[in-house]
C-alpha cells in the first residue's frame, strides 16, 4: 500500500514552483504547463492535487497538496468532505504551524462528525459503534448495512485503531452530556436524545453544506422554505438518520 501524505500550504503556486525545481519527476505531463496551471487543476473538485507512485526510502508514496484556506473551508463546512473525511479518522500530523483558524477547524470537524454520527445511530450504542459510524461518514456504503462489504471495510479501519480513535475523540466525548465513560468497565456508554427537539438541535449544529444538501433532498422545487423550517420537519421524521446519511457528501 502507498503511504498517503497531505500537505496544507499557504501559497500553492509558490509551493509547486519550488517542488518542480526539486522534484520535477514526481509530476505528470502537467509539469510542462508550470505551477500556475498545476494550481488551477488543483482548485477543481476537492481542491487537492496529488502526485502518486513516488518512490521514497524504498517504498511508494503519494502526496496531495491543498491550500490552507481550502482545507479550513472543508473542515468547517464539508463542501466535499474529501480531506475533512480523512481527518475524522486517526492520522499522524507530522508538523503543524500556529494557525489558530486551522486548529479550530480541525476540532470543529471532529465535533461535526460526532453530531452527524449521533443522528444516524440508535438511541443507545457502544463506543465502537460510534467510531464505525464516524468512519462511514465519508464512505459510500449504506450505513444501515450490518453485514457484507461495507461493514468489513469499515471494520478494517476501526478495529485495529480503536485506541487511536479514542485518543482523537476523547476530549470531545468527555465534554458531551449525552456520553458517559464507564471507567470501571473501560468503555463508553451513550444515550442520545431522539426526540424531535433533540434531533433538531443536532441538525442545526451540522456543517452548512450538509444542511443545504438535506434541504435540497426534502424541499420540493418551488417552495423555497428556509433551512430551519426544513430541518425541523426532518427532526420529526422517523427516518431522520437516513436523510442525514443521504445528504452527506461522498468522498471515498
Amino acid at each position: 500500500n502507498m503511504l498517503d501524505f497531505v500537505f496544507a500550504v499557504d501559497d500553492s503556486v509558490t509551493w509547486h514552483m519550488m517542488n518542480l525545481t526539486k522534484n520535477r519527476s514526481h509530476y505528470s505531463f502537467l509539469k510542462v504547463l508550470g505551477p500556475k496551471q498545476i494550481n488551477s487543476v488543483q482548485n477543481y473538485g476537492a481542491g487537492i492535487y496529488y502526485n502518486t507512485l513516488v518512490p521514497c526510502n524504498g517504498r511508494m508514496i503519494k502526496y496531495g497538496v491543498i491550500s490552507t484556506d481550502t482545507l479550513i473551508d472543508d473542515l468547517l463546512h464539508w463542501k466535499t468532505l474529501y480531506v475533512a473525511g480523512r481527518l475524522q479518522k486517526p492520522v499522524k500530523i507530522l508538523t503543524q504551524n500556529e494557525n489558530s483558524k486551522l486548529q479550530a477547524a480541525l476540532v470543529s470537524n471532529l465535533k461535526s462528525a460526532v453530531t452527524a454520527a449521533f443522528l444516524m445511530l440508535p438511541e443507545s450504542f457502544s463506543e465502537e459503534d460510534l467510531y464505525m459510524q464516524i468512519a462511514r461518514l465519508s464512505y459510500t456504503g449504506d450505513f444501515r448495512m450490518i453485514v457484507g462489504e461495507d461493514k468489513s471495510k469499515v471494520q478494517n479501519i476501526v478495529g485495529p485503531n480503536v485506541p487511536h480513535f479514542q485518543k482523537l475523540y476523547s476530549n470531545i466525548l468527555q465534554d458531551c452530556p449525552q456520553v458517559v465513560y464507564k471507567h470501571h468497565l473501560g468503555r463508553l456508554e451513550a444515550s442520545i436524545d431522539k426526540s424531535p427537539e433533540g434531533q433538531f438541535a443536532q441538525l442545526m449544529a451540522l456543517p452548512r453544506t450538509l444542511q443545504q444538501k438535506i434541504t435540497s433532498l426534502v424541499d420540493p422545487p418551488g417552495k423555497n422554505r428556509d433551512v430551519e423550517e426544513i430541518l425541523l420537519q426532518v427532526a420529526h421524521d422517523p427516518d431522520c438518520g437516513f436523510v442525514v446519511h443521504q445528504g452527506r457528501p461522498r468522498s471515498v
Side-chain angles (χ1 to χ4, degrees), residues 179-229:
V179 172
V180 177
Y181 272 106
K182 300 289 186 178
H183 294 287
H184 61 291
L185 298 175
R187 63 187 175 91
L188 168 155
E189 287 187 0
S191 181
I192 305 303
D193 182 1
K194 289 293 180 178
S195 69
E197 295 77 14
Q199 294 193 137
F200 178 65
Q202 291 167 357
L203 288 164
M204 290 297 292
L206 291 174
R208 182 181 62 203
T209 301
L210 180 51
Q211 290 180 340
Q212 291 170 343
K213 287 182 178 293
I214 291 170
T215 298
S216 65
L217 283 172
V218 175
D219 197 31
K223 284 208 169 184
N224 297 320
R225 294 180 296 165
D226 62 41
V227 172
E228 186 172 340
E229 180 184 353

Side-chain angles (χ1 to χ4, degrees), residues 14-27 31 51 54 63:
T14 299
W15 194 94
H16 285 299
M17 180 177 66
M18 296 173 66
N19 197 43
L20 281 165
T21 301
K22 293 183 177 182
N23 301 300
R24 191 173 182 83
S25 64
H26 294 180
Y27 289 81
K31 58 178 170 278
N51 284 326
V54 176
Y63 62 90

Side-chain angles (χ1 to χ4, degrees), residues 73-208:
D73 186 62
D74 196 35
L75 291 168
L76 292 176
H77 305 304
W78 290 8
K79 184 177 179 181
T80 68
L81 202 59
Y82 190 85
V83 179
R86 283 154 174 76
L87 292 172
Q88 291 164 1
K89 306 172 184 70
V91 299
K92 175 67 174 177
I93 297 180
L94 299 176
T95 183
Q96 186 178 350
N97 63 19
E98 297 301 317
N99 186 324
S100 59
K101 288 185 178 180
L102 176 57
Q103 292 171 353
L106 288 165
V107 174
S108 177
N109 181 45
L110 299 180
K111 289 181 177 178
S112 296
V114 169
T115 300
F118 282 173
L119 283 162
M120 290 187 279
L121 285 162
E123 185 175 358
S124 298
F125 51 86
S126 70
E127 184 174 13
E128 186 167 334
D129 290 337
L130 173 62
Y131 301 143
M132 291 274 285
Q133 192 60 71
I134 289 172
R136 286 191 182 100
L137 285 174
S138 58
Y139 180 62
T140 57
D142 188 334
F143 83 115
R144 295 171 299 181
M145 289 179 63
I146 58 172
V147 295
E149 184 181 25
D150 175 42
K151 182 177 181 180
S152 64
K153 285 187 175 181
V154 175
Q155 181 63 52
N156 288 340
I157 295 171
V158 176
N161 291 297
V162 167
H164 299 296
F165 274 94
Q166 290 173 327
K167 184 177 180 180
L168 185 62
Y169 286 96
S170 61
N171 290 339
I172 292 169
L173 294 176
Q174 286 172 4
D175 291 337
C176 180
Q178 296 164 310
V179 172
V180 177
Y181 272 106
K182 300 289 186 178
H183 294 287
H184 61 291
L185 298 175
R187 63 187 175 91
L188 168 155
E189 287 187 0
S191 181
I192 305 303
D193 182 1
K194 289 293 180 178
S195 69
E197 295 77 14
Q199 294 193 137
F200 178 65
Q202 291 167 357
L203 288 164
M204 290 297 292
L206 291 174
R208 182 181 62 203

